[in-house]
Amino acid sequence: PVPGRCAYFVERKKRFCKMTPGPGRRFCGEHGQQEGENNRKRIPCPLDPKHTVYEDQLQKHLKKCNSREKPKPVYFVQDINAGLKDGAEIPERQVPISSLSKEGLENLITKLKKASNGLEFRLKEQILSHQALQEALNDPKNGESAFKHLKQQASILGNMEKLHLLGPGRCFVEFGAGRGKLSHWVDVALQNVENVQFLLVERATTRFKVDGKHKRRDSIFERLQVDIQHLCLKKVPILEKKKLPVVGIGKHLCGAATDLALRCLVESYTACCDGENEEPATKRSRTDKTEVASNNSADNESNKDDCKPVAGIVIALCCHHKCDWTHYVGKEFFKSVGLGPLEFNYFQRMSSWATCGMREAATRASTSQESEDETNDTEEHEHEQTFSNTESGSDTLQGILTVEERKEIGCLCKRLIDQGRIEYLQQRGYKAALQYYTESAVSLENVLLTAVPSQSLIPEPTM
């Protein structure tokens, strides 16, 4: 053992314990009892049984244990972005799609196609790039997987530039930030721009963060460890102080997290800025489009000094099968086409059919990681591999639907769910669009949602 360290050999780790024992002892408190070095009893910690504590010091330990409940940050507001919780609307028990009768499945597909009638099925391709990533894209040290992620990030930045969102005096809020790579590249793209700040929102602690690469003095990076569901942007100290226009960004923001982020930006944050109370806007009745438009127009004309609007939203969508009716922002759209929570419950699961046929290929691709950078991208691969075996297996609904038919239906489900998000943004004064931002060979989840405030918020008269 290393001098001054515990002399206990941890068989599982094939090394000696690295803890420091007390004066005159050979073993640390954890292993001293196992070796009979002292008579004090150790018990599992009530907060986290993975470690133990002296029984006579339990109360002292609970006050400083790393697993204790931490004080809530000032920007934590319980369920501010959650949406309405109406238990009567949501099916209590999810019936597997494979258990549906042939007639029941055909009825669902008929409803889906009727609701999707008139929607543009094939989206516009807007595969762009950005000079900030050219050096990394041309670096031969990057393997295939890292190259794919770089192409996606380059296209997201290209789309942001096209919408004039890459500029000075902005606060970029990256939802589901993970390691913070997207914010990192935005920072690189803004090397000569002043007064820029970044808020990286992630509910879990993250390893291998790229935050240390941010060397610019003019840009400020801050991590917010909070679930998007409870995030009140107005209460984030740095936003309160500087009051910069916000740009919401995200790369592969899973399912319901996209809806939470949209509500966080255009409801709870905008409502607070407009001087309303902090009650989420979902609790208000549906507002007529003309009324919303005129109100927003008046707000723009007033141009208050103490509040800045949301300048734009750019989010790469992902994992529609993880959407949730309670959090979904497109409920009014679904109801307008004769659909409700029951149909949504089926459609969000059926959406996985759009990509499940490629699951094997995606899995093979994920194993060919050739660089250190790629080995740390596990979280991003999971987005393309998280499917329900019971709903997307090749034997599911065998004899009723072919693989191609399932894929087509899955794409329709994703398109319908996204259309609800588009109409939600349009009703709140945004010009919103969906586009393919990368090839399907690069990512199966290749749709980008963009939104910027409308130039003219008053609807044009219908002819």
Side-chain angles (χ1 to χ4, degrees), residues 383-416:
H383 290 281
E384 297 182 5
Q385 297 176 40
T386 309
F387 304 104
S388 168
N389 293 329
T390 58
E391 305 293 359
S392 62
S394 59
D395 58 342
T396 301
L397 307 172
Q398 192 171 8
I400 301 178
L401 296 171
T402 65
V403 172
E404 284 303 315
E405 287 173 332
R406 286 203 304 273
K407 183 177 178 181
E408 180 183 350
I409 291 168
C411 289
L412 272 180
C413 291
K414 292 164 78 76
R415 183 67 185 86
L416 193 68

PDB file of all heavy atoms in Angstrom, residues 383-416:
ATOM      1  N   HIS A 383     -29.419   8.456 -28.263  1.00  0.00           N
ATOM      2  CA  HIS A 383     -30.617   9.035 -28.850  1.00  0.00           C
ATOM      3  C   HIS A 383     -31.072   8.230 -30.059  1.00  0.00           C
ATOM      4  O   HIS A 383     -32.259   8.130 -30.330  1.00  0.00           O
ATOM      5  CB  HIS A 383     -30.353  10.475 -29.278  1.00  0.00           C
ATOM      6  CG  HIS A 383     -30.171  11.407 -28.131  1.00  0.00           C
ATOM      7  ND1 HIS A 383     -31.226  11.900 -27.415  1.00  0.00           N
ATOM      8  CD2 HIS A 383     -29.067  11.924 -27.559  1.00  0.00           C
ATOM      9  CE1 HIS A 383     -30.782  12.701 -26.466  1.00  0.00           C
ATOM     10  NE2 HIS A 383     -29.472  12.729 -26.535  1.00  0.00           N
ATOM     11  N   GLU A 384     -30.110   7.682 -30.798  1.00  0.00           N
ATOM     12  CA  GLU A 384     -30.455   6.972 -32.017  1.00  0.00           C
ATOM     13  C   GLU A 384     -30.668   5.482 -31.782  1.00  0.00           C
ATOM     14  O   GLU A 384     -30.981   4.744 -32.687  1.00  0.00           O
ATOM     15  CB  GLU A 384     -29.362   7.169 -33.067  1.00  0.00           C
ATOM     16  CG  GLU A 384     -29.219   8.633 -33.474  1.00  0.00           C
ATOM     17  CD  GLU A 384     -28.184   8.832 -34.543  1.00  0.00           C
ATOM     18  OE1 GLU A 384     -27.639   7.817 -35.030  1.00  0.00           O
ATOM     19  OE2 GLU A 384     -27.920   9.986 -34.908  1.00  0.00           O
ATOM     20  N   GLN A 385     -30.509   5.044 -30.535  1.00  0.00           N
ATOM     21  CA  GLN A 385     -30.639   3.615 -30.269  1.00  0.00           C
ATOM     22  C   GLN A 385     -31.708   3.296 -29.234  1.00  0.00           C
ATOM     23  O   GLN A 385     -31.921   2.142 -28.900  1.00  0.00           O
ATOM     24  CB  GLN A 385     -29.305   3.065 -29.773  1.00  0.00           C
ATOM     25  CG  GLN A 385     -28.199   3.178 -30.805  1.00  0.00           C
ATOM     26  CD  GLN A 385     -26.890   2.714 -30.244  1.00  0.00           C
ATOM     27  OE1 GLN A 385     -26.821   1.739 -29.522  1.00  0.00           O
ATOM     28  NE2 GLN A 385     -25.838   3.420 -30.566  1.00  0.00           N
ATOM     29  N   THR A 386     -32.399   4.312 -28.701  1.00  0.00           N
ATOM     30  CA  THR A 386     -33.369   4.084 -27.657  1.00  0.00           C
ATOM     31  C   THR A 386     -34.724   3.810 -28.272  1.00  0.00           C
ATOM     32  O   THR A 386     -35.446   4.721 -28.602  1.00  0.00           O
ATOM     33  CB  THR A 386     -33.473   5.310 -26.728  1.00  0.00           C
ATOM     34  OG1 THR A 386     -32.168   5.664 -26.315  1.00  0.00           O
ATOM     35  CG2 THR A 386     -34.331   5.007 -25.519  1.00  0.00           C
ATOM     36  N   PHE A 387     -35.053   2.572 -28.441  1.00  0.00           N
ATOM     37  CA  PHE A 387     -36.331   2.195 -29.001  1.00  0.00           C
ATOM     38  C   PHE A 387     -36.976   1.136 -28.119  1.00  0.00           C
ATOM     39  O   PHE A 387     -36.303   0.415 -27.395  1.00  0.00           O
ATOM     40  CB  PHE A 387     -36.182   1.636 -30.417  1.00  0.00           C
ATOM     41  CG  PHE A 387     -35.477   2.571 -31.346  1.00  0.00           C
ATOM     42  CD1 PHE A 387     -34.161   2.352 -31.713  1.00  0.00           C
ATOM     43  CD2 PHE A 387     -36.128   3.685 -31.841  1.00  0.00           C
ATOM     44  CE1 PHE A 387     -33.510   3.211 -32.561  1.00  0.00           C
ATOM     45  CE2 PHE A 387     -35.477   4.551 -32.699  1.00  0.00           C
ATOM     46  CZ  PHE A 387     -34.171   4.311 -33.057  1.00  0.00           C
ATOM     47  N   SER A 388     -38.289   1.027 -28.192  1.00  0.00           N
ATOM     48  CA  SER A 388     -39.009   0.022 -27.420  1.00  0.00           C
ATOM     49  C   SER A 388     -39.014  -1.289 -28.177  1.00  0.00           C
ATOM     50  O   SER A 388     -39.533  -1.388 -29.278  1.00  0.00           O
ATOM     51  CB  SER A 388     -40.454   0.489 -27.179  1.00  0.00           C
ATOM     52  OG  SER A 388     -41.227  -0.560 -26.680  1.00  0.00           O
ATOM     53  N   ASN A 389     -38.418  -2.317 -27.594  1.00  0.00           N
ATOM     54  CA  ASN A 389     -38.352  -3.603 -28.262  1.00  0.00           C
ATOM     55  C   ASN A 389     -39.738  -4.172 -28.553  1.00  0.00           C
ATOM     56  O   ASN A 389     -39.968  -4.835 -29.552  1.00  0.00           O
ATOM     57  CB  ASN A 389     -37.565  -4.598 -27.406  1.00  0.00           C
ATOM     58  CG  ASN A 389     -36.101  -4.216 -27.293  1.00  0.00           C
ATOM     59  OD1 ASN A 389     -35.546  -3.632 -28.210  1.00  0.00           O
ATOM     60  ND2 ASN A 389     -35.490  -4.517 -26.163  1.00  0.00           N
ATOM     61  N   THR A 390     -40.675  -3.925 -27.649  1.00  0.00           N
ATOM     62  CA  THR A 390     -42.011  -4.486 -27.821  1.00  0.00           C
ATOM     63  C   THR A 390     -42.780  -3.799 -28.936  1.00  0.00           C
ATOM     64  O   THR A 390     -43.700  -4.363 -29.499  1.00  0.00           O
ATOM     65  CB  THR A 390     -42.820  -4.357 -26.523  1.00  0.00           C
ATOM     66  OG1 THR A 390     -42.895  -2.974 -26.169  1.00  0.00           O
ATOM     67  CG2 THR A 390     -42.179  -5.134 -25.403  1.00  0.00           C
ATOM     68  N   GLU A 391     -42.405  -2.546 -29.264  1.00  0.00           N
ATOM     69  CA  GLU A 391     -43.148  -1.804 -30.265  1.00  0.00           C
ATOM     70  C   GLU A 391     -42.466  -1.785 -31.620  1.00  0.00           C
ATOM     71  O   GLU A 391     -43.097  -1.573 -32.625  1.00  0.00           O
ATOM     72  CB  GLU A 391     -43.361  -0.352 -29.796  1.00  0.00           C
ATOM     73  CG  GLU A 391     -44.020  -0.223 -28.444  1.00  0.00           C
ATOM     74  CD  GLU A 391     -45.462  -0.704 -28.421  1.00  0.00           C
ATOM     75  OE1 GLU A 391     -45.962  -1.123 -29.482  1.00  0.00           O
ATOM     76  OE2 GLU A 391     -46.080  -0.666 -27.364  1.00  0.00           O
ATOM     77  N   SER A 392     -41.137  -1.972 -31.655  1.00  0.00           N
ATOM     78  CA  SER A 392     -40.435  -1.754 -32.915  1.00  0.00           C
ATOM     79  C   SER A 392     -39.698  -2.991 -33.423  1.00  0.00           C
ATOM     80  O   SER A 392     -38.967  -2.901 -34.383  1.00  0.00           O
ATOM     81  CB  SER A 392     -39.435  -0.604 -32.743  1.00  0.00           C
ATOM     82  OG  SER A 392     -38.477  -0.942 -31.764  1.00  0.00           O
ATOM     83  N   GLY A 393     -39.869  -4.113 -32.790  1.00  0.00           N
ATOM     84  CA  GLY A 393     -39.199  -5.322 -33.244  1.00  0.00           C
ATOM     85  C   GLY A 393     -39.683  -5.739 -34.614  1.00  0.00           C
ATOM     86  O   GLY A 393     -40.803  -5.440 -35.016  1.00  0.00           O
ATOM     87  N   SER A 394     -38.855  -6.469 -35.362  1.00  0.00           N
ATOM     88  CA  SER A 394     -39.196  -6.825 -36.735  1.00  0.00           C
ATOM     89  C   SER A 394     -40.392  -7.756 -36.801  1.00  0.00           C
ATOM     90  O   SER A 394     -41.067  -7.842 -37.828  1.00  0.00           O
ATOM     91  CB  SER A 394     -37.991  -7.486 -37.409  1.00  0.00           C
ATOM     92  OG  SER A 394     -37.600  -8.644 -36.683  1.00  0.00           O
ATOM     93  N   ASP A 395     -40.688  -8.473 -35.685  1.00  0.00           N
ATOM     94  CA  ASP A 395     -41.814  -9.394 -35.704  1.00  0.00           C
ATOM     95  C   ASP A 395     -43.116  -8.746 -35.252  1.00  0.00           C
ATOM     96  O   ASP A 395     -44.172  -9.359 -35.270  1.00  0.00           O
ATOM     97  CB  ASP A 395     -41.514 -10.609 -34.816  1.00  0.00           C
ATOM     98  CG  ASP A 395     -41.203 -10.214 -33.378  1.00  0.00           C
ATOM     99  OD1 ASP A 395     -40.893  -9.029 -33.165  1.00  0.00           O
ATOM    100  OD2 ASP A 395     -41.278 -11.083 -32.500  1.00  0.00           O
ATOM    101  N   THR A 396     -43.048  -7.478 -34.827  1.00  0.00           N
ATOM    102  CA  THR A 396     -44.240  -6.779 -34.385  1.00  0.00           C
ATOM    103  C   THR A 396     -45.188  -6.580 -35.557  1.00  0.00           C
ATOM    104  O   THR A 396     -44.788  -6.129 -36.621  1.00  0.00           O
ATOM    105  CB  THR A 396     -43.874  -5.414 -33.781  1.00  0.00           C
ATOM    106  OG1 THR A 396     -42.997  -5.628 -32.693  1.00  0.00           O
ATOM    107  CG2 THR A 396     -45.110  -4.689 -33.290  1.00  0.00           C
ATOM    108  N   LEU A 397     -46.462  -6.917 -35.368  1.00  0.00           N
ATOM    109  CA  LEU A 397     -47.494  -6.726 -36.377  1.00  0.00           C
ATOM    110  C   LEU A 397     -47.171  -7.455 -37.673  1.00  0.00           C
ATOM    111  O   LEU A 397     -47.545  -7.017 -38.760  1.00  0.00           O
ATOM    112  CB  LEU A 397     -47.698  -5.235 -36.655  1.00  0.00           C
ATOM    113  CG  LEU A 397     -47.955  -4.361 -35.425  1.00  0.00           C
ATOM    114  CD1 LEU A 397     -47.948  -2.902 -35.805  1.00  0.00           C
ATOM    115  CD2 LEU A 397     -49.260  -4.731 -34.762  1.00  0.00           C
ATOM    116  N   GLN A 398     -46.458  -8.565 -37.556  1.00  0.00           N
ATOM    117  CA  GLN A 398     -46.085  -9.333 -38.745  1.00  0.00           C
ATOM    118  C   GLN A 398     -47.345  -9.816 -39.452  1.00  0.00           C
ATOM    119  O   GLN A 398     -48.279 -10.314 -38.833  1.00  0.00           O
ATOM    120  CB  GLN A 398     -45.216 -10.533 -38.353  1.00  0.00           C
ATOM    121  CG  GLN A 398     -44.558 -11.212 -39.549  1.00  0.00           C
ATOM    122  CD  GLN A 398     -43.541 -12.253 -39.100  1.00  0.00           C
ATOM    123  OE1 GLN A 398     -43.464 -12.542 -37.923  1.00  0.00           O
ATOM    124  NE2 GLN A 398     -42.790 -12.789 -40.030  1.00  0.00           N
ATOM    125  N   GLY A 399     -47.405  -9.644 -40.735  1.00  0.00           N
ATOM    126  CA  GLY A 399     -48.568 -10.061 -41.508  1.00  0.00           C
ATOM    127  C   GLY A 399     -49.583  -8.951 -41.675  1.00  0.00           C
ATOM    128  O   GLY A 399     -50.516  -9.088 -42.470  1.00  0.00           O
ATOM    129  N   ILE A 400     -49.440  -7.847 -40.925  1.00  0.00           N
ATOM    130  CA  ILE A 400     -50.371  -6.720 -41.047  1.00  0.00           C
ATOM    131  C   ILE A 400     -49.709  -5.566 -41.782  1.00  0.00           C
ATOM    132  O   ILE A 400     -50.272  -4.989 -42.708  1.00  0.00           O
ATOM    133  CB  ILE A 400     -50.861  -6.258 -39.656  1.00  0.00           C
ATOM    134  CG1 ILE A 400     -51.555  -7.425 -38.934  1.00  0.00           C
ATOM    135  CG2 ILE A 400     -51.814  -5.079 -39.794  1.00  0.00           C
ATOM    136  CD1 ILE A 400     -52.032  -7.075 -37.540  1.00  0.00           C
ATOM    137  N   LEU A 401     -48.484  -5.229 -41.361  1.00  0.00           N
ATOM    138  CA  LEU A 401     -47.757  -4.125 -41.983  1.00  0.00           C
ATOM    139  C   LEU A 401     -46.365  -4.580 -42.386  1.00  0.00           C
ATOM    140  O   LEU A 401     -45.710  -5.311 -41.649  1.00  0.00           O
ATOM    141  CB  LEU A 401     -47.640  -2.947 -41.009  1.00  0.00           C
ATOM    142  CG  LEU A 401     -48.937  -2.262 -40.561  1.00  0.00           C
ATOM    143  CD1 LEU A 401     -48.639  -1.278 -39.442  1.00  0.00           C
ATOM    144  CD2 LEU A 401     -49.614  -1.556 -41.724  1.00  0.00           C
ATOM    145  N   THR A 402     -45.915  -4.105 -43.525  1.00  0.00           N
ATOM    146  CA  THR A 402     -44.547  -4.389 -43.951  1.00  0.00           C
ATOM    147  C   THR A 402     -43.596  -3.408 -43.263  1.00  0.00           C
ATOM    148  O   THR A 402     -44.029  -2.427 -42.659  1.00  0.00           O
ATOM    149  CB  THR A 402     -44.400  -4.236 -45.471  1.00  0.00           C
ATOM    150  OG1 THR A 402     -44.616  -2.859 -45.812  1.00  0.00           O
ATOM    151  CG2 THR A 402     -45.416  -5.116 -46.200  1.00  0.00           C
ATOM    152  N   VAL A 403     -42.304  -3.655 -43.366  1.00  0.00           N
ATOM    153  CA  VAL A 403     -41.309  -2.771 -42.775  1.00  0.00           C
ATOM    154  C   VAL A 403     -41.423  -1.366 -43.360  1.00  0.00           C
ATOM    155  O   VAL A 403     -41.374  -0.362 -42.637  1.00  0.00           O
ATOM    156  CB  VAL A 403     -39.879  -3.323 -42.996  1.00  0.00           C
ATOM    157  CG1 VAL A 403     -38.833  -2.309 -42.561  1.00  0.00           C
ATOM    158  CG2 VAL A 403     -39.698  -4.626 -42.235  1.00  0.00           C
ATOM    159  N   GLU A 404     -41.603  -1.282 -44.680  1.00  0.00           N
ATOM    160  CA  GLU A 404     -41.703   0.030 -45.330  1.00  0.00           C
ATOM    161  C   GLU A 404     -42.959   0.767 -44.896  1.00  0.00           C
ATOM    162  O   GLU A 404     -42.945   1.994 -44.729  1.00  0.00           O
ATOM    163  CB  GLU A 404     -41.694  -0.143 -46.864  1.00  0.00           C
ATOM    164  CG  GLU A 404     -40.320  -0.443 -47.432  1.00  0.00           C
ATOM    165  CD  GLU A 404     -39.293   0.627 -47.070  1.00  0.00           C
ATOM    166  OE1 GLU A 404     -39.634   1.828 -47.182  1.00  0.00           O
ATOM    167  OE2 GLU A 404     -38.186   0.277 -46.655  1.00  0.00           O
ATOM    168  N   GLU A 405     -44.065   0.025 -44.735  1.00  0.00           N
ATOM    169  CA  GLU A 405     -45.305   0.652 -44.279  1.00  0.00           C
ATOM    170  C   GLU A 405     -45.158   1.189 -42.858  1.00  0.00           C
ATOM    171  O   GLU A 405     -45.632   2.283 -42.542  1.00  0.00           O
ATOM    172  CB  GLU A 405     -46.463  -0.345 -44.353  1.00  0.00           C
ATOM    173  CG  GLU A 405     -46.931  -0.634 -45.765  1.00  0.00           C
ATOM    174  CD  GLU A 405     -47.960  -1.747 -45.828  1.00  0.00           C
ATOM    175  OE1 GLU A 405     -47.935  -2.634 -44.923  1.00  0.00           O
ATOM    176  OE2 GLU A 405     -48.776  -1.755 -46.755  1.00  0.00           O
ATOM    177  N   ARG A 406     -44.502   0.416 -42.004  1.00  0.00           N
ATOM    178  CA  ARG A 406     -44.281   0.875 -40.638  1.00  0.00           C
ATOM    179  C   ARG A 406     -43.407   2.138 -40.625  1.00  0.00           C
ATOM    180  O   ARG A 406     -43.652   3.068 -39.859  1.00  0.00           O
ATOM    181  CB  ARG A 406     -43.602  -0.214 -39.794  1.00  0.00           C
ATOM    182  CG  ARG A 406     -44.532  -1.349 -39.402  1.00  0.00           C
ATOM    183  CD  ARG A 406     -44.027  -2.064 -38.158  1.00  0.00           C
ATOM    184  NE  ARG A 406     -42.673  -2.573 -38.300  1.00  0.00           N
ATOM    185  CZ  ARG A 406     -42.363  -3.750 -38.806  1.00  0.00           C
ATOM    186  NH1 ARG A 406     -43.322  -4.554 -39.245  1.00  0.00           N
ATOM    187  NH2 ARG A 406     -41.110  -4.152 -38.892  1.00  0.00           N
ATOM    188  N   LYS A 407     -42.407   2.143 -41.480  1.00  0.00           N
ATOM    189  CA  LYS A 407     -41.515   3.306 -41.539  1.00  0.00           C
ATOM    190  C   LYS A 407     -42.288   4.548 -41.977  1.00  0.00           C
ATOM    191  O   LYS A 407     -42.129   5.637 -41.406  1.00  0.00           O
ATOM    192  CB  LYS A 407     -40.368   3.030 -42.512  1.00  0.00           C
ATOM    193  CG  LYS A 407     -39.351   4.164 -42.581  1.00  0.00           C
ATOM    194  CD  LYS A 407     -38.208   3.804 -43.514  1.00  0.00           C
ATOM    195  CE  LYS A 407     -37.211   4.957 -43.622  1.00  0.00           C
ATOM    196  NZ  LYS A 407     -36.100   4.638 -44.543  1.00  0.00           N
ATOM    197  N   GLU A 408     -43.147   4.389 -42.975  1.00  0.00           N
ATOM    198  CA  GLU A 408     -43.940   5.515 -43.476  1.00  0.00           C
ATOM    199  C   GLU A 408     -44.891   6.036 -42.402  1.00  0.00           C
ATOM    200  O   GLU A 408     -45.027   7.251 -42.203  1.00  0.00           O
ATOM    201  CB  GLU A 408     -44.729   5.090 -44.709  1.00  0.00           C
ATOM    202  CG  GLU A 408     -45.580   6.209 -45.297  1.00  0.00           C
ATOM    203  CD  GLU A 408     -46.407   5.749 -46.485  1.00  0.00           C
ATOM    204  OE1 GLU A 408     -46.186   4.623 -46.973  1.00  0.00           O
ATOM    205  OE2 GLU A 408     -47.288   6.516 -46.921  1.00  0.00           O
ATOM    206  N   ILE A 409     -45.530   5.120 -41.682  1.00  0.00           N
ATOM    207  CA  ILE A 409     -46.459   5.514 -40.618  1.00  0.00           C
ATOM    208  C   ILE A 409     -45.698   6.208 -39.488  1.00  0.00           C
ATOM    209  O   ILE A 409     -46.160   7.217 -38.940  1.00  0.00           O
ATOM    210  CB  ILE A 409     -47.223   4.280 -40.084  1.00  0.00           C
ATOM    211  CG1 ILE A 409     -48.177   3.783 -41.157  1.00  0.00           C
ATOM    212  CG2 ILE A 409     -47.973   4.611 -38.799  1.00  0.00           C
ATOM    213  CD1 ILE A 409     -48.768   2.412 -40.857  1.00  0.00           C
ATOM    214  N   GLY A 410     -44.517   5.688 -39.146  1.00  0.00           N
ATOM    215  CA  GLY A 410     -43.698   6.310 -38.109  1.00  0.00           C
ATOM    216  C   GLY A 410     -43.327   7.736 -38.466  1.00  0.00           C
ATOM    217  O   GLY A 410     -43.377   8.639 -37.622  1.00  0.00           O
ATOM    218  N   CYS A 411     -42.970   7.968 -39.740  1.00  0.00           N
ATOM    219  CA  CYS A 411     -42.629   9.316 -40.195  1.00  0.00           C
ATOM    220  C   CYS A 411     -43.838  10.242 -40.120  1.00  0.00           C
ATOM    221  O   CYS A 411     -43.706  11.419 -39.760  1.00  0.00           O
ATOM    222  CB  CYS A 411     -42.088   9.266 -41.627  1.00  0.00           C
ATOM    223  SG  CYS A 411     -40.449   8.516 -41.772  1.00  0.00           S
ATOM    224  N   LEU A 412     -45.020   9.712 -40.446  1.00  0.00           N
ATOM    225  CA  LEU A 412     -46.240  10.513 -40.355  1.00  0.00           C
ATOM    226  C   LEU A 412     -46.516  10.925 -38.915  1.00  0.00           C
ATOM    227  O   LEU A 412     -46.923  12.060 -38.646  1.00  0.00           O
ATOM    228  CB  LEU A 412     -47.438   9.726 -40.899  1.00  0.00           C
ATOM    229  CG  LEU A 412     -47.732   9.815 -42.396  1.00  0.00           C
ATOM    230  CD1 LEU A 412     -48.944   8.962 -42.747  1.00  0.00           C
ATOM    231  CD2 LEU A 412     -47.966  11.254 -42.831  1.00  0.00           C
ATOM    232  N   CYS A 413     -46.300   9.993 -37.978  1.00  0.00           N
ATOM    233  CA  CYS A 413     -46.505  10.289 -36.555  1.00  0.00           C
ATOM    234  C   CYS A 413     -45.571  11.401 -36.088  1.00  0.00           C
ATOM    235  O   CYS A 413     -45.996  12.344 -35.400  1.00  0.00           O
ATOM    236  CB  CYS A 413     -46.277   9.032 -35.712  1.00  0.00           C
ATOM    237  SG  CYS A 413     -47.542   7.749 -35.916  1.00  0.00           S
ATOM    238  N   LYS A 414     -44.307  11.316 -36.473  1.00  0.00           N
ATOM    239  CA  LYS A 414     -43.338  12.346 -36.088  1.00  0.00           C
ATOM    240  C   LYS A 414     -43.730  13.696 -36.687  1.00  0.00           C
ATOM    241  O   LYS A 414     -43.684  14.733 -36.024  1.00  0.00           O
ATOM    242  CB  LYS A 414     -41.929  11.940 -36.566  1.00  0.00           C
ATOM    243  CG  LYS A 414     -41.354  10.738 -35.836  1.00  0.00           C
ATOM    244  CD  LYS A 414     -40.162  10.138 -36.580  1.00  0.00           C
ATOM    245  CE  LYS A 414     -38.900  10.926 -36.381  1.00  0.00           C
ATOM    246  NZ  LYS A 414     -38.302  10.692 -35.066  1.00  0.00           N
ATOM    247  N   ARG A 415     -44.163  13.665 -37.950  1.00  0.00           N
ATOM    248  CA  ARG A 415     -44.528  14.898 -38.645  1.00  0.00           C
ATOM    249  C   ARG A 415     -45.744  15.546 -37.994  1.00  0.00           C
ATOM    250  O   ARG A 415     -45.805  16.775 -37.840  1.00  0.00           O
ATOM    251  CB  ARG A 415     -44.802  14.583 -40.126  1.00  0.00           C
ATOM    252  CG  ARG A 415     -45.111  15.793 -40.976  1.00  0.00           C
ATOM    253  CD  ARG A 415     -43.897  16.681 -41.107  1.00  0.00           C
ATOM    254  NE  ARG A 415     -44.224  17.901 -41.838  1.00  0.00           N
ATOM    255  CZ  ARG A 415     -44.719  18.988 -41.281  1.00  0.00           C
ATOM    256  NH1 ARG A 415     -44.928  19.030 -39.977  1.00  0.00           N
ATOM    257  NH2 ARG A 415     -44.996  20.051 -42.007  1.00  0.00           N
ATOM    258  N   LEU A 416     -46.700  14.727 -37.584  1.00  0.00           N
ATOM    259  CA  LEU A 416     -47.919  15.251 -36.965  1.00  0.00           C
ATOM    260  C   LEU A 416     -47.608  15.878 -35.608  1.00  0.00           C
ATOM    261  O   LEU A 416     -48.112  16.963 -35.268  1.00  0.00           O
ATOM    262  CB  LEU A 416     -48.943  14.130 -36.810  1.00  0.00           C
ATOM    263  CG  LEU A 416     -50.372  14.559 -36.469  1.00  0.00           C
ATOM    264  CD1 LEU A 416     -50.994  15.313 -37.639  1.00  0.00           C
ATOM    265  CD2 LEU A 416     -51.228  13.344 -36.110  1.00  0.00           C
TER     266      LEU A 416
END
